[in-house]
Amino acid sequence: MDHTAHGPEKHAHGTASWATAVKATLHCLTGCAIGEILGMVIGTALEWDNVPTMVLAIGLAFLFGYSFTLFAVLRAGLGLKAAIRVALAADTVSIAVMEFVDNAIIALTPGAMDAHLSDGLFWSALLGGFAVAFLITTPVNKWMIGRGRGHAVVHAHH
């Protein structure tokens, strides 16, 4: 079997390169980070309780994460309905894993949920959570892309 037909995104049948997985995870992380930081800043600034702040942050992380992919595939010429399906297929698992890990780290870091925007603890827990989430989500994305799922769906439209 000629494995070169899979293009540069794959090294062999059923596998994806680490570079592709890192690129997909960074793409996802960018949208998640914008949404999550915005949600945490809004909730903290408005002195909301922890649960509504986290719900807003997670909701915005999904919104921004999906939006990055949605706009990319719309630019590639897909119709809105098809673009939405691609964004959902490409990003749902990646965003969910990233958000679970990041928010678990924030929730489990003593004092982080009660920290204010001016506190170093607020920012270190948030950014540290993103770093750990990136490390955990990258192998998940590699596995999914190698099976034609996740961001592999997006690459078919570039």
Side-chain angles (χ1 to χ4, degrees):
M1 172 184 243
D2 180 15
H3 295 295
T4 59
H6 295 291
E9 299 300 325
K10 294 193 172 211
H11 290 291
H13 184 68
T15 63
S17 72
W18 280 105
T20 299
V22 166
K23 183 178 172 185
T25 307
L26 285 172
H27 178 266
C28 180
L29 178 64
T30 302
C32 287
I34 291 169
E36 181 140 351
I37 290 170
L38 186 59
M40 290 289 195
V41 167
I42 290 169
T44 302
L46 295 176
E47 297 181 3
W48 287 0
D49 289 333
N50 293 339
V51 172
T53 298
M54 288 183 94
V55 168
L56 176 64
I58 292 168
L60 289 175
F62 272 91
L63 178 70
F64 278 89
Y66 286 139
S67 295
F68 276 34
T69 299
L70 182 66
F71 293 133
V73 293
L74 283 172
R75 274 195 314 264
L78 244 57
L80 181 60
K81 215 175 192 182
I84 290 171
R85 282 195 303 269
V86 168
L88 291 173
D91 292 331
T92 299
V93 172
S94 184
I95 295 170
V97 170
M98 195 162 292
E99 286 304 297
F100 176 79
V101 171
D102 182 53
N103 282 283
I105 289 171
I106 293 167
L108 296 173
T109 300
M113 291 301 296
D114 297 320
H116 296 283
L117 296 176
S118 59
D119 293 339
L121 179 60
F122 174 88
W123 294 103
S124 62
L126 187 60
L127 298 176
F130 287 140
V132 173
F134 174 81
L135 293 174
I136 292 173
T137 307
T138 299
V140 171
N141 281 333
K142 183 181 185 306
W143 181 82
M144 289 180 60
I145 293 166
R147 279 140 192 84
R149 294 175 173 31
H151 275 263
V153 177
V154 175
H155 294 292
H157 300 286
H158 283 283

